Amino acid sequence: MTTTVDNAHPTTDVASTLGTVIDDVIRPQATTVDREGVFPRQGVDALAAAGLLGLASSTEVGGGGHGMRVVAEVVERLAAECGSTAMVVLMHYAATAVIEAHGPREVRADIAAGGHLTTLAFSEYGSRSHFWSPTGTATATDDGSVRLDARKSWVTSAGEVDSYVWSSLPVTPDAGPMTLWLVPAGSAGLSVTGDFDGLGLRGNGSRPMTADGLRVPSTAMMAADGAGLDTALGAVLPWFLVLNAAFCLGLAQSAVTEASRHVTRTTLAHTGAALRDAPVTRRDLARLMIRTDALRAFLGDTLTALETGRDDAMLRVLQVKALAGETVADVTDGAMQLCGGSAFRKELGLERRFRDSRAARVMAPTTDALHDFVGRVATGLPLLDEANR
């Protein structure tokens, strides 16, 4: 497992810049993004203009040179305000990890400068959430290019990005289970084939895409033919799982903060007592706080394991999204119950966070798959059977 990490928290400049973008653009538009199911273009563009989409890019190409801890805190803060925006940014950083390792310098420089948004295109109709088993094909052609054909089931930011980190079967049979490609947006034969009207994350633009005779040059291949699964497990998965946990933490923390505010400020007219004056209310709030703080501590330990190269780093990475998905689901559910009927109104923003939180359990690798992976690691089995590699 290889990844870039550092020990620094966001610098004052990064934190301040992010806060300004959140205050001026992202928070004011979060309700509209959710209600209308529109892609958060203004927020994403504001983040790009502020230099926040190039934080993980190497300083060699003009990026921020930050590692996973800094980026995780950015995703956490975004998720607290707008889950859709946070998911778009999360997928951008996960795809950037591959491009930084294997992509062309000019694209890396564009990402560093905030001029290029990217995403992952892994999940397919044929294999669903089993991203490690693509069914889409890559075929060498007489003119030296490669033809890609696939039906992708869900692609975050579909039709909104500048490139896709695209998975397929290898060009050469038996070369390996997967090959990765950098596919430019607007390529002939590439199309968005459906809409997204989901329960939550309604503005993240997660839509199906089809490649039908899409041609890319052979140089679009990232890493060796057939080596895509190793690249996905080593470069993509740590970023995706850890940032997903940060995403969940942001949602959970914002739900706890809103619930605490509500029970503190709300009083009963016939007694004059605040909701917080009831011991059962304080107990329930404390439970939500403890669950959220436990997730924060586990995420911090996961980052430390990666940063220090601990032997259990891989195990922690697999565990953290599973823990986060269950935690955020339980915490947002508990906050809804704690705030009663008020939580069902749009004003508190709790019902939006409740809906957004449901995604973590089913995003590949799902919680069930992660539990299996953790059990495999714990008992000395390979992460995947040879038939899946």
Side-chain angles (χ1 to χ4, degrees), residues 39 84 87-88 91 118-120 154-159 161 164 204-207 363:
F39 188 79
S84 293
M87 185 54 62
V88 168
M91 297 299 281
T118 188
T119 194
L120 300 175
W154 301 109
V155 180
T156 298
S157 309
V161 297
Y164 303 87
N204 87 127
S206 186
R207 297 182 288 173
M363 290 186 72

Side-chain angles (χ1 to χ4, degrees), residues 161-174:
V161 297
D162 300 290
S163 68
Y164 303 87
V165 173
W166 189 275
S167 62
S168 76
L169 290 168
V171 178
T172 304
D174 301 323

Side-chain angles (χ1 to χ4, degrees), residues 104-388:
R105 184 182 179 89
E106 60 270 22
V107 175
R108 295 173 57 212
D110 284 347
I111 292 173
H116 189 108
L117 185 68
T118 188
T119 194
L120 300 175
F122 282 6
S123 298
E124 300 185 0
Y125 280 100
S127 50
R128 311 303 295 180
S129 63
H130 296 183
F131 71 88
W132 52 88
S133 299
T135 59
T137 58
T139 308
T141 66
D142 292 339
D143 63 5
S145 65
V146 177
R147 170 175 174 153
L148 300 178
D149 294 278
R151 295 178 65 216
K152 299 291 181 179
S153 53
W154 301 109
V155 180
T156 298
S157 309
E160 301 286 350
V161 297
D162 300 290
S163 68
Y164 303 87
V165 173
W166 189 275
S167 62
S168 76
L169 290 168
V171 178
T172 304
D174 301 323
M178 179 192 295
T179 297
L180 297 181
W181 309 88
L182 185 60
V183 175
S187 298
L190 180 66
S191 60
V192 177
T193 53
D195 294 322
F196 179 71
D197 187 11
L199 172 72
L201 301 182
R202 290 178 44 76
N204 87 127
S206 186
R207 297 182 288 173
M209 297 190 73
T210 295
D212 185 5
L214 188 159
R215 300 291 186 95
V216 293
S218 59
T219 54
M221 183 187 295
M222 293 194 289
D225 190 27
L229 181 57
D230 288 339
T231 301
L233 294 177
V236 182
L237 200 63
W239 281 89
F240 175 76
L241 295 181
V242 170
L243 295 186
N244 209 286
F247 169 87
C248 292
L249 178 59
L251 284 176
Q253 185 63 66
S254 63
V256 169
T257 299
E258 186 55 54
S260 178
R261 182 183 299 116
H262 179 75
V263 301
T264 299
R265 295 178 177 177
T266 304
T267 59
L268 301 173
H270 62 292
T271 65
L275 296 182
R276 68 179 179 185
D277 293 332
V280 68
T281 298
R282 297 195 298 270
R283 179 203 67 192
D284 290 346
L285 179 62
R287 286 175 173 171
L288 301 183
M289 292 176 64
I290 291 168
R291 290 291 303 277
T292 302
D293 287 345
L295 173 57
R296 184 179 298 281
F298 197 97
L299 175 57
D301 183 68
T302 301
L303 288 162
T304 298
L306 286 167
E307 290 162 354
T308 59
R310 263 179 17 208
D311 290 342
D312 65 344
M314 180 178 180
L315 182 62
R316 284 287 183 263
V317 166
L318 296 172
Q319 290 173 320
V320 73
K321 178 180 178 285
L323 175 66
E326 296 308 301
T327 298
V328 71
D330 291 346
V331 168
T332 54
D333 183 61
M336 291 283 291
Q337 294 182 59
L338 189 60
C339 295
S342 297
F344 285 84
R345 298 201 307 265
K346 301 287 186 180
E347 294 94 314
L348 289 186
L350 278 177
E351 58 84 32
R352 169 164 56 88
R353 292 171 172 89
F354 172 85
R355 289 184 286 105
D356 286 349
S357 72
R358 306 298 108 170
R361 284 172 162 170
V362 298
M363 290 186 72
T366 65
T367 299
D368 286 343
L370 287 169
H371 285 158
D372 181 48
F373 290 166
V374 169
R376 283 174 168 272
V377 172
T379 58
L381 291 172
L383 199 62
L384 295 169
D385 293 328
E386 280 302 314
N388 292 318

Side-chain angles (χ1 to χ4, degrees), residues 4-166:
T4 302
V5 291
D6 60 17
N7 295 301
H9 290 270
T11 64
T12 301
D13 287 345
V14 170
S16 176
T17 300
L18 176 61
T20 299
V21 175
I22 287 173
D23 291 343
D24 293 349
V25 184
I26 293 172
R27 186 185 300 120
Q29 295 184 354
T31 300
T32 300
V33 167
D34 175 70
R35 182 180 62 246
E36 300 181 6
V38 294
F39 188 79
R41 173 54 63 185
Q42 287 182 276
V44 172
D45 286 349
L47 291 167
L52 296 170
L53 296 188
L55 288 179
S57 298
S58 170
T59 55
E60 175 194 4
V61 292
H66 291 289
M68 198 180 289
R69 189 180 293 269
V70 169
V71 175
E73 292 191 21
V74 170
V75 170
E76 178 191 340
R77 288 187 63 187
L78 290 174
E81 305 297 342
C82 177
S84 293
T85 302
M87 185 54 62
V88 168
V89 172
L90 186 164
M91 297 299 281
H92 166 80
Y93 281 124
T96 295
V98 186
I99 297 171
E100 272 293 292
H102 301 287
R105 184 182 179 89
E106 60 270 22
V107 175
R108 295 173 57 212
D110 284 347
I111 292 173
H116 189 108
L117 185 68
T118 188
T119 194
L120 300 175
F122 282 6
S123 298
E124 300 185 0
Y125 280 100
S127 50
R128 311 303 295 180
S129 63
H130 296 183
F131 71 88
W132 52 88
S133 299
T135 59
T137 58
T139 308
T141 66
D142 292 339
D143 63 5
S145 65
V146 177
R147 170 175 174 153
L148 300 178
D149 294 278
R151 295 178 65 216
K152 299 291 181 179
S153 53
W154 301 109
V155 180
T156 298
S157 309
E160 301 286 350
V161 297
D162 300 290
S163 68
Y164 303 87
V165 173
W166 189 275

